Amino acid sequence: MTTNIFVMGLDEFNHKILKRIDGSPQALFHPLLHYDEIRSSDQYPVEELIQTCKRRLDRFHEPVEGIIGYFDFPSTDMVPIICEAYDLPSASVESVMKIANKLWARMEQKKAIPEYIPKFAGINPENPPEIDEISLSFPFWIKPVRSFKSYLAFKITNQATYDAALVSMKTHVEKMTAPFRSLMAYAPVSDDFRPYLFYSCIAEQTVKGCQCTLEGYVYKKEVSCYGIVDSIRDRDMSPLMAYEYPSCLPPGIREKMVSVATRIITYMGYDNATFNIEFFYNPETDAIHLLEINPRCSQSHAHLFEKVDGASNLSHMVQLARGEQPVFHKGSGPFTAAGKYMVRSYEDGVITRMPTKGEINELKAAIPDMEIKWHVRPGTRLSQLHNQDSYTYEIMDIYLGGKDRQDLRDKYAQCLDQLAFSMDICFRPLAAQGEARYD
């Protein structure tokens, strides 16, 4: 027996992971939207996309058991809307929108867990406050209320960077926040947030520490947290350079994060879906701060859980989409550690040569578990890539398994040595980047 699961933004890379999910009944995965339909441009015709989803479901003449989406905006935001229209298992539209809107989420978090969030303020770029009216000290961040991959995230260190950020926001932010407001119209908006509905940006105080991501799910109002992944950032800039699993956090800090996550997810009324929560931990003070909640599992972590725990986190999403309680056997994978390494360029340029199949096969013979996800091809101008952060260009992602973190780092260094490009890209060895240290 098979079940039919539709995927919002189905891509070849993650489709391979989905097909490796063991289960009874076996799932078949169909594109509700193809990846290119949500990531091929900077335009988001969300109402047209919703109608496209409905037409494809209506033309499908077999039972549909569930809908999933593992990419961020607009995929995550549309899943509950379509599920509600077709009476399929999902979190409520209201809870997803409340979490997805960074300003609305902060306002709710302030009510439930005020001691674990940084100071923040809503900003309307069309009528921005003076910098001293924000009541945040330098440095602080300005971000869109809805975004992904740190798109249009700016670190504010003085008046000049504040002014420059506002110019960029006025020019670009509505490309994403305007369609997001269209999706928010499918949910009731609380009276206290309604005056801020057209605030497209949020300013947040910078917090110190190491970053990590807690992954979990809710099934029939019971919150379960199954793993914490460390995020490694560049020491002198903000971009993410790697995810490594399992976390090096002290046990007591992990337990505290699970407690905070359970409190806020329950308070938000989020149910029957996966989530991930990004935290900062300051080892000098033992303080933790909640950075943001994402109403989905992280597809970036799928290979990591698969290598260490024997099944990807996408399996939780599939089981919940079918209305089932997830089954997970921790530590049953072939490796004790796993990492995703994001190879970036800090300069613009054109890719004129990429590693050949022979070179890649030679590397895979030495590191059989290695997986590569490419973001470029010969002729790609890096500045024309879609959905990049504000500071760098992502060339490729390298997924590795190992016996420990040093083994992962050694394999990563070997990959960089052998995966040669023709342009002068600034590959930075991980040892020169921020470390996730907790001792």
Coordinates of all heavy atoms in Angstrom, one line a residue, residues 149-193:
K149 N 17.4 33.0 5.0 CA 18.8 33.1 4.7 C 19.4 34.4 4.9 O 20.3 34.9 4.2 CB 19.1 32.7 3.2 CG 19.1 31.2 2.9 CD 19.7 30.9 1.6 CE 19.8 29.4 1.4 NZ 20.4 29.1 0.1
S150 N 19.0 35.1 6.0 CA 19.5 36.5 6.3 C 19.4 37.5 5.2 O 20.1 38.4 5.1 CB 21.0 36.4 6.8 OG 21.1 35.5 7.9
Y151 N 18.4 37.3 4.3 CA 18.2 38.2 3.2 C 17.7 39.5 3.8 O 16.8 39.6 4.6 CB 17.1 37.6 2.3 CG 16.7 38.6 1.2 CD1 17.6 38.9 0.2 CD2 15.4 39.1 1.1 CE1 17.2 39.8 -0.9 CE2 15.0 39.9 0.1 CZ 15.9 40.3 -0.9 OH 15.5 41.1 -1.9
L152 N 18.4 40.6 3.4 CA 18.1 42.0 3.8 C 18.3 42.1 5.3 O 17.6 42.9 6.0 CB 16.7 42.4 3.4 CG 16.5 42.7 1.9 CD1 15.1 43.2 1.7 CD2 17.5 43.7 1.4
A153 N 19.2 41.4 5.9 CA 19.5 41.5 7.3 C 20.8 42.4 7.4 O 21.8 42.1 6.8 CB 19.8 40.2 8.0
F154 N 20.7 43.5 8.2 CA 21.8 44.5 8.2 C 22.2 44.7 9.7 O 21.4 44.9 10.6 CB 21.4 45.8 7.6 CG 21.1 45.7 6.1 CD1 19.8 45.6 5.7 CD2 22.1 45.7 5.2 CE1 19.5 45.5 4.3 CE2 21.9 45.6 3.8 CZ 20.6 45.5 3.4
K155 N 23.5 44.7 9.9 CA 24.1 45.0 11.2 C 24.3 46.5 11.3 O 25.0 47.1 10.5 CB 25.4 44.2 11.5 CG 25.9 44.2 12.9 CD 27.1 43.3 13.0 CE 27.5 43.2 14.5 NZ 28.7 42.3 14.6
I156 N 23.6 47.1 12.3 CA 23.7 48.5 12.5 C 24.7 48.9 13.5 O 24.6 48.5 14.7 CB 22.3 49.1 12.9 CG1 21.2 48.6 11.9 CG2 22.3 50.6 12.9 CD1 21.5 48.9 10.4
T157 N 25.7 49.7 13.1 CA 26.8 50.1 14.1 C 26.9 51.6 14.3 O 27.5 52.0 15.2 CB 28.1 49.6 13.5 OG1 28.3 50.1 12.2 CG2 28.2 48.0 13.5
N158 N 26.2 52.4 13.4 CA 26.2 53.8 13.5 C 25.1 54.4 12.7 O 24.3 53.7 12.1 CB 27.6 54.4 13.1 CG 28.0 53.9 11.8 OD1 27.2 53.7 10.9 ND2 29.3 53.6 11.6
Q159 N 25.0 55.7 12.6 CA 24.0 56.4 11.9 C 24.0 56.1 10.4 O 23.0 55.9 9.7 CB 24.1 57.9 12.1 CG 23.0 58.7 11.4 CD 21.6 58.6 12.0 OE1 21.5 58.8 13.2 NE2 20.6 58.3 11.2
A160 N 25.3 56.0 9.9 CA 25.4 55.8 8.4 C 24.9 54.4 8.0 O 24.2 54.2 7.0 CB 26.9 55.9 8.1
T161 N 25.2 53.3 8.8 CA 24.7 52.0 8.5 C 23.2 51.9 8.7 O 22.5 51.2 7.9 CB 25.4 50.9 9.3 OG1 25.3 51.3 10.7 CG2 26.9 50.8 9.0
Y162 N 22.7 52.7 9.6 CA 21.2 52.7 9.8 C 20.6 53.4 8.6 O 19.6 52.8 8.0 CB 20.9 53.5 11.0 CG 19.4 53.7 11.3 CD1 18.6 52.6 11.6 CD2 18.8 54.9 11.3 CE1 17.2 52.7 11.9 CE2 17.4 55.1 11.6 CZ 16.7 54.0 11.9 OH 15.3 54.1 12.2
D163 N 21.1 54.5 8.1 CA 20.5 55.2 6.9 C 20.6 54.3 5.7 O 19.7 54.2 4.9 CB 21.3 56.5 6.7 CG 21.0 57.5 7.8 OD1 20.0 57.3 8.5 OD2 21.8 58.4 7.9
A164 N 21.8 53.6 5.5 CA 21.9 52.7 4.3 C 21.0 51.5 4.4 O 20.4 51.2 3.4 CB 23.4 52.2 4.3
A165 N 20.7 51.0 5.6 CA 19.8 49.9 5.7 C 18.4 50.3 5.3 O 17.7 49.6 4.7 CB 19.9 49.3 7.1
L166 N 18.0 51.5 5.8 CA 16.7 52.0 5.5 C 16.5 52.2 4.0 O 15.4 51.9 3.4 CB 16.4 53.3 6.2 CG 16.2 53.2 7.7 CD1 16.0 54.5 8.4 CD2 15.1 52.3 8.1
V167 N 17.5 52.7 3.3 CA 17.4 52.8 1.8 C 17.2 51.5 1.2 O 16.3 51.3 0.3 CB 18.7 53.5 1.3 CG1 18.7 53.5 -0.2 CG2 18.8 54.9 1.8
S168 N 17.9 50.5 1.6 CA 17.8 49.1 1.0 C 16.4 48.6 1.3 O 15.8 47.9 0.4 CB 18.9 48.2 1.5 OG 20.1 48.6 1.1
M169 N 15.9 48.8 2.5 CA 14.6 48.3 2.9 C 13.5 48.9 2.1 O 12.6 48.2 1.6 CB 14.4 48.5 4.4 CG 15.2 47.6 5.3 SD 14.9 45.9 5.1 CE 15.9 45.2 6.4
K170 N 13.6 50.2 1.9 CA 12.6 50.9 1.1 C 12.5 50.4 -0.3 O 11.5 50.3 -0.9 CB 12.9 52.4 1.1 CG 12.6 53.1 2.4 CD 12.9 54.6 2.3 CE 12.6 55.3 3.6 NZ 12.9 56.8 3.5
T171 N 13.7 50.0 -0.8 CA 13.8 49.6 -2.2 C 13.3 48.1 -2.4 O 12.7 47.8 -3.4 CB 15.2 49.7 -2.7 OG1 15.6 51.1 -2.6 CG2 15.3 49.3 -4.2
H172 N 13.7 47.2 -1.4 CA 13.5 45.8 -1.6 C 12.6 45.1 -0.7 O 12.1 44.0 -1.1 CB 14.9 45.1 -1.5 CG 15.9 45.7 -2.5 ND1 15.8 45.5 -3.8 CD2 17.1 46.4 -2.2 CE1 16.9 46.0 -4.4 NE2 17.6 46.6 -3.5
V173 N 12.3 45.6 0.5 CA 11.6 44.7 1.5 C 10.2 44.4 1.1 O 9.7 43.3 1.4 CB 11.7 45.4 2.9 CG1 10.7 46.6 2.9 CG2 11.4 44.4 4.0
E174 N 9.5 45.2 0.4 CA 8.1 44.9 0.0 C 8.0 43.8 -1.0 O 6.9 43.2 -1.1 CB 7.4 46.2 -0.5 CG 7.0 47.2 0.6 CD 6.0 46.6 1.5 OE1 4.8 46.4 1.0 OE2 6.2 46.4 2.7
K175 N 9.1 43.4 -1.6 CA 9.0 42.3 -2.6 C 8.6 41.0 -1.8 O 8.0 40.1 -2.4 CB 10.3 42.1 -3.2 CG 10.7 43.1 -4.2 CD 12.1 42.9 -4.8 CE 12.5 43.9 -5.8 NZ 13.8 43.7 -6.4
M176 N 9.0 41.0 -0.5 CA 8.7 39.8 0.3 C 7.5 40.0 1.3 O 6.7 39.2 1.4 CB 9.9 39.3 1.0 CG 9.7 37.9 1.7 SD 11.3 37.3 2.3 CE 12.2 37.1 0.7
T177 N 7.6 41.2 1.9 CA 6.6 41.4 3.0 C 5.2 41.7 2.5 O 4.2 41.4 3.1 CB 7.0 42.6 3.9 OG1 7.3 43.7 3.1 CG2 8.3 42.2 4.7
A178 N 5.1 42.3 1.3 CA 3.7 42.5 0.7 C 3.0 41.2 0.4 O 1.9 41.0 0.8 CB 3.8 43.4 -0.5
P179 N 3.7 40.2 -0.3 CA 3.0 38.9 -0.5 C 2.8 38.2 0.8 O 1.8 37.5 0.9 CB 3.9 38.2 -1.4 CG 5.2 38.9 -1.4 CD 4.9 40.3 -1.1
F180 N 3.7 38.4 1.8 CA 3.5 37.7 3.1 C 2.2 38.3 3.7 O 1.4 37.5 4.3 CB 4.7 37.9 3.9 CG 4.5 37.4 5.3 CD1 4.2 36.1 5.5 CD2 4.8 38.2 6.4 CE1 4.0 35.5 6.8 CE2 4.6 37.7 7.7 CZ 4.3 36.3 7.9
R181 N 2.0 39.6 3.6 CA 0.7 40.1 4.2 C -0.5 39.5 3.5 O -1.6 39.3 4.2 CB 0.7 41.6 4.1 CG 1.6 42.3 5.2 CD 1.3 43.8 5.3 NE 1.6 44.5 4.0 CZ 2.7 45.0 3.7 NH1 3.7 44.9 4.6 NH2 2.9 45.7 2.6
S182 N -0.4 39.2 2.2 CA -1.5 38.6 1.5 C -1.8 37.2 2.2 O -3.0 36.8 2.3 CB -1.2 38.4 0.1 OG -1.0 39.7 -0.6
L183 N -0.8 36.5 2.5 CA -1.0 35.2 3.2 C -1.5 35.4 4.6 O -2.3 34.6 5.1 CB 0.3 34.4 3.2 CG 0.9 34.0 1.8 CD1 2.2 33.3 1.9 CD2 -0.1 33.2 1.0
M184 N -1.1 36.4 5.3 CA -1.5 36.6 6.6 C -3.0 36.9 6.7 O -3.7 36.7 7.7 CB -0.8 37.8 7.3 CG 0.7 37.5 7.7 SD 1.4 38.8 8.6 CE 0.4 38.8 10.1
A185 N -3.6 37.4 5.5 CA -5.0 37.7 5.5 C -5.9 36.4 5.7 O -7.1 36.5 6.0 CB -5.4 38.3 4.2
Y186 N -5.3 35.2 5.5 CA -6.0 34.0 5.8 C -6.1 33.7 7.2 O -6.8 32.7 7.6 CB -5.3 32.8 5.1 CG -5.4 32.8 3.6 CD1 -4.6 33.6 2.8 CD2 -6.4 32.1 2.9 CE1 -4.7 33.6 1.4 CE2 -6.5 32.1 1.5 CZ -5.7 32.9 0.8 OH -5.8 32.9 -0.6
A187 N -5.5 34.4 8.1 CA -5.6 34.2 9.5 C -6.1 35.4 10.3 O -5.9 36.5 9.9 CB -4.2 33.8 10.1
P188 N -6.8 35.2 11.4 CA -7.2 36.3 12.2 C -6.0 37.0 12.9 O -5.0 36.3 13.3 CB -8.1 35.6 13.3 CG -7.7 34.2 13.4 CD -7.2 33.9 12.0
V189 N -6.0 38.3 12.9 CA -4.9 39.0 13.5 C -5.4 39.6 14.8 O -6.4 40.2 14.9 CB -4.4 40.1 12.6 CG1 -3.3 41.0 13.2 CG2 -3.9 39.6 11.3
S190 N -4.6 39.4 15.9 CA -5.0 39.9 17.2 C -5.0 41.4 17.2 O -4.3 42.1 16.5 CB -4.0 39.4 18.3 OG -2.7 39.9 18.0
D191 N -5.9 41.9 18.1 CA -6.1 43.4 18.2 C -4.8 44.1 18.6 O -4.5 45.2 18.1 CB -7.1 43.7 19.2 CG -8.5 43.3 18.8 OD1 -8.7 43.1 17.5 OD2 -9.4 43.1 19.6
D192 N -3.9 43.5 19.4 CA -2.7 44.2 19.8 C -1.7 44.3 18.7 O -0.8 45.2 18.7 CB -2.1 43.6 21.1 CG -1.7 42.1 20.9 OD1 -2.3 41.5 19.9 OD2 -0.9 41.6 21.7
F193 N -1.8 43.3 17.7 CA -0.8 43.4 16.6 C -1.3 44.2 15.4 O -0.5 44.6 14.6 CB -0.4 42.0 16.2 CG 0.6 41.9 15.1 CD1 1.9 42.3 15.3 CD2 0.2 41.6 13.8 CE1 2.8 42.4 14.3 CE2 1.2 41.6 12.8 CZ 2.5 42.0 13.0

